[in-house]
Amino acid sequence: MESNLKNVLVISFGFLLLFTAYGGLQSLQSSLHSEEGLGVASLSVIYAALILSSMFLPPILIKKLGCKWTIAGSMCCYIAYSLGNFYASWYTLVPASIILGLGGAPLWSAKCTYLTIAGNLYAQKAGKIGRDVINQYFGLFFLIFQSSGVWGNLISSLIFGQTTTTEEDLMCCGAYDCMTNATANTTASSGPTKTLIYTLLGVYTGMCSGVLAVLLVALFLDQIKDNQAERETEKMQTQSFWSTFLATFQHLKDKRQCLLIPLTMYSGFEQAFLAGDYTKSYVTCALGIHFVGYVMISFSAANSLCSLFFGKISQFTGRKALFALAAITNLACIIALLLWKPHPNQLAVFFIFSALWGLADAIWQTQTNALYGVLFEKHKEAGFANYRLWESLGFVIAFGYSTFLHVYVKLYIVMAVLVVAIVMYGTVEYLEVKDLPGTPTTMKELHTTDFFKGDSRC
């Protein structure tokens, strides 16, 4: 167990270091690079490239390089994105975003494969159930990994220090932002100096995150050499590209999958709004860019704690009650954000909105993944491929229009997608009850906890 535990910890802390950097940078993109929407455009490109890479790159790289070196190599793609931020322009940041997107799918697939194989190997030696050991490994991984949002945002806020905003700046904050003056507001009175930006990027890239993550994996992670690893990669290879592509879209013949598309896309829309619009038009505009990190810490902390909490109580409440809670929470936040005019004197309100958004997002992530696992138990690969596809498409669309629309318009779009998503989801639940009249819905809901113990990105 010691060797296996060591490898799980190496992967977990490697991802913690890597996403301390990436998570912090993602939260700051709309504020740091607001000129012509470069920051949010780069995020849109990342998710577009991620869609493409998930179709063919993971099985090829894992078969050729093995899980260890696929993880190490993919981490270098994230470092390239950090480097692209040093001299951010359309000619540097967009190519760096493509590189990161191409590396994202192999990174997560290799991690999933490694932990799954390691768990099964230990279970065979110890005479335990493989699923139980795998769940323990994923639980330990996420316990460590989820804190990356706290550390990355804390670093950015500490480095950027104190900035001030004027009453004139505050006139252009909130839902009815002044798009013509948005760049000036973000980069002038609220913006950090170039020296501070380079300091932050230097810390993210080498001193405490990116490079250290690669070195940690390269030096201390053991390569898995086992027949099961070969079988896993061969299985992935046979399912690669065209077979995965066709299976993904053939799965749309299932009307339940079609009905879940708005719910899945909403996950991308709501996360994109928080990262791209709330951080810029509310937090940075009213408080200054140094507060983005602190506010996002409240989101990360609430998200992590609520994921654990709702995971425990879902077997008692059922998924419908949790989805209703998330929808009501997000709808209330959207309406409040439309009416609220942010001001520095209302400091606590910025953190409350972020925490409530984290609470709702915890439900969307855990319960949507669990729902896919329950509904498409016999076709998990195609089901989760659709999940990745439609969620990523939601990110692409939301980040894509972010530069061209006022915040209040984007809030109405998010609200509309939410309403459609809940109506369609309700239809799915109705069909499930109708098709299985003798099976209480709650019995199916009891199985949801088995699915979000694992990695939603597998």
Side-chain angles (χ1 to χ4, degrees):
M1 181 64 173
E2 290 183 358
S3 176
N4 284 329
L5 180 59
K6 184 266 291 184
N7 288 324
V8 174
L9 290 174
V10 168
I11 290 180
S12 301
F13 281 101
F15 273 67
L16 170 64
L17 290 169
L18 186 70
F19 282 85
T20 291
Y22 173 67
L25 273 179
Q26 185 184 45
S27 299
L28 293 169
Q29 283 303 308
S30 61
S31 299
L32 280 179
H33 310 306
S34 58
E35 299 86 352
E36 299 179 351
L38 174 60
V40 290
S42 73
L43 296 176
S44 181
V45 170
I46 287 174
Y47 287 99
L50 188 62
I51 293 174
L52 296 176
S53 69
S54 63
M55 291 183 180
F56 64 94
L57 273 183
I60 296 175
L61 291 181
I62 293 173
K63 185 175 183 180
K64 298 294 183 182
L65 303 178
C67 291
K68 171 181 177 177
W69 295 111
T70 299
I71 292 174
S74 298
M75 284 179 168
C76 293
C77 297
Y78 283 74
I79 297 176
Y81 184 72
S82 296
L83 294 174
N85 277 268
F86 274 97
Y87 298 99
S89 69
W90 291 97
Y91 302 104
T92 58
L93 200 54
V94 171
S97 300
I98 295 174
I99 293 173
L100 189 154
L102 293 176
L107 176 69
W108 286 98
S109 296
K111 184 272 299 179
C112 290
T113 303
Y114 191 103
L115 293 183
T116 300
I117 294 173
N120 284 328
L121 287 176
Y122 176 72
Q124 292 174 5
K125 294 179 181 178
K128 297 184 177 181
I129 300 176
R131 182 182 61 185
D132 293 340
V133 178
I134 292 171
N135 283 338
Q136 291 174 12
Y137 284 0
F138 277 114
L140 178 59
F141 170 82
F142 275 102
L143 177 66
I144 297 171
F145 167 75
Q146 292 282 21
S147 66
S148 62
V150 174
W151 306 121
N153 289 310
L154 180 61
I155 290 171
S156 67
S157 289
L158 291 176
I159 289 178
F160 283 160
Q162 184 72 31
T163 56
T164 59
T165 54
T166 66
E167 289 297 327
E168 183 179 354
D169 293 334
L170 295 175
M171 295 296 294
C172 291
C173 299
Y176 298 89
D177 59 325
C178 310
M179 292 183 65
T180 55
N181 297 326
T183 299
N185 290 340
T186 301
T187 57
S189 57
S190 299
T193 65
K194 286 290 186 181
T195 301
L196 290 178
I197 294 176
Y198 291 152
T199 301
L200 176 68
L201 293 173
V203 171
Y204 278 164
T205 303
M207 292 176 61
C208 75
S209 296
V211 174
L212 278 183
V214 174
L215 292 176
L216 182 65
V217 170
L219 296 177
F220 297 104
L221 184 64
D222 297 330
Q223 179 70 284
I224 285 187
K225 295 181 179 180
D226 180 72
N227 291 333
Q228 185 183 354
E230 296 178 2
R231 291 195 300 270
E232 289 285 339
T233 53
E234 287 175 2
K235 180 181 177 182
M236 293 176 69
Q237 187 69 39
T238 59
Q239 295 175 344
S240 175
F241 197 60
W242 287 117
S243 58
T244 301
F245 182 83
L246 292 175
T248 299
F249 288 97
Q250 284 176 348
H251 196 255
L252 293 173
K253 293 179 180 178
D254 190 327
K255 57 185 176 183
R256 297 173 302 174
Q257 175 61 75
C258 294
L259 290 169
L260 287 177
I261 288 177
L263 179 66
T264 312
M265 290 184 66
Y266 177 74
S267 177
F269 275 90
E270 56 95 4
Q271 291 180 77
F273 175 81
L274 185 77
D277 297 302
Y278 183 71
T279 55
K280 176 186 175 183
S281 297
Y282 289 86
V283 182
T284 298
C285 186
L287 301 178
I289 196 171
H290 69 291
F291 257 102
V292 170
Y294 294 131
V295 171
M296 291 304 290
I297 286 174
S298 68
F299 168 82
S300 298
N303 192 283
S304 180
L305 293 175
C306 289
S307 294
L308 178 63
F309 175 70
F310 291 131
K312 295 294 184 182
I313 69 168
S314 62
Q315 57 183 315
F316 305 109
T317 63
R319 61 176 178 255
K320 293 191 291 293
L322 293 179
F323 274 125
L325 174 61
I328 293 172
T329 302
N330 265 164
L331 188 61
C333 286
I334 291 170
I335 295 173
L337 288 172
L338 283 168
L339 301 175
W340 180 47
K341 196 66 177 177
H343 193 280
N345 293 337
Q346 304 165 328
L347 183 61
V349 180
F350 293 89
F351 292 88
I352 292 173
F353 275 121
S354 183
L356 288 174
W357 210 273
L359 179 150
D361 183 69
I363 297 176
W364 299 126
Q365 301 309 312
T366 59
Q367 296 306 307
T368 304
N369 278 279
L371 179 63
Y372 268 77
V374 172
L375 294 182
F376 311 121
E377 186 174 0
K378 295 181 180 180
H379 305 282
K380 286 190 180 71
E381 293 81 4
F384 282 109
N386 269 277
Y387 178 87
R388 290 193 298 268
L389 170 64
W390 298 113
E391 183 185 44
S392 297
L393 185 60
F395 275 108
V396 172
I397 295 173
F399 283 131
Y401 65 56
S402 181
T403 309
F404 308 102
L405 301 176
H406 284 283
V407 174
Y408 76 91
V409 177
K410 288 178 275 191
L411 281 168
Y412 281 124
I413 291 174
V414 174
M415 183 190 297
V417 176
L418 173 59
V419 172
V420 173
I422 291 301
V423 171
M424 295 298 189
Y425 162 71
T427 305
V428 171
E429 292 288 5
Y430 170 76
L431 291 175
E432 285 297 286
V433 175
K434 182 180 178 181
D435 292 342
L436 296 171
T439 304
T441 307
T442 53
M443 292 301 295
K444 288 180 283 182
E445 291 169 346
L446 290 177
H447 297 289
T448 59
T449 53
D450 291 335
F451 290 92
F452 64 81
K453 287 179 181 177
D455 185 3
S456 65
R457 286 174 252 203
C458 290

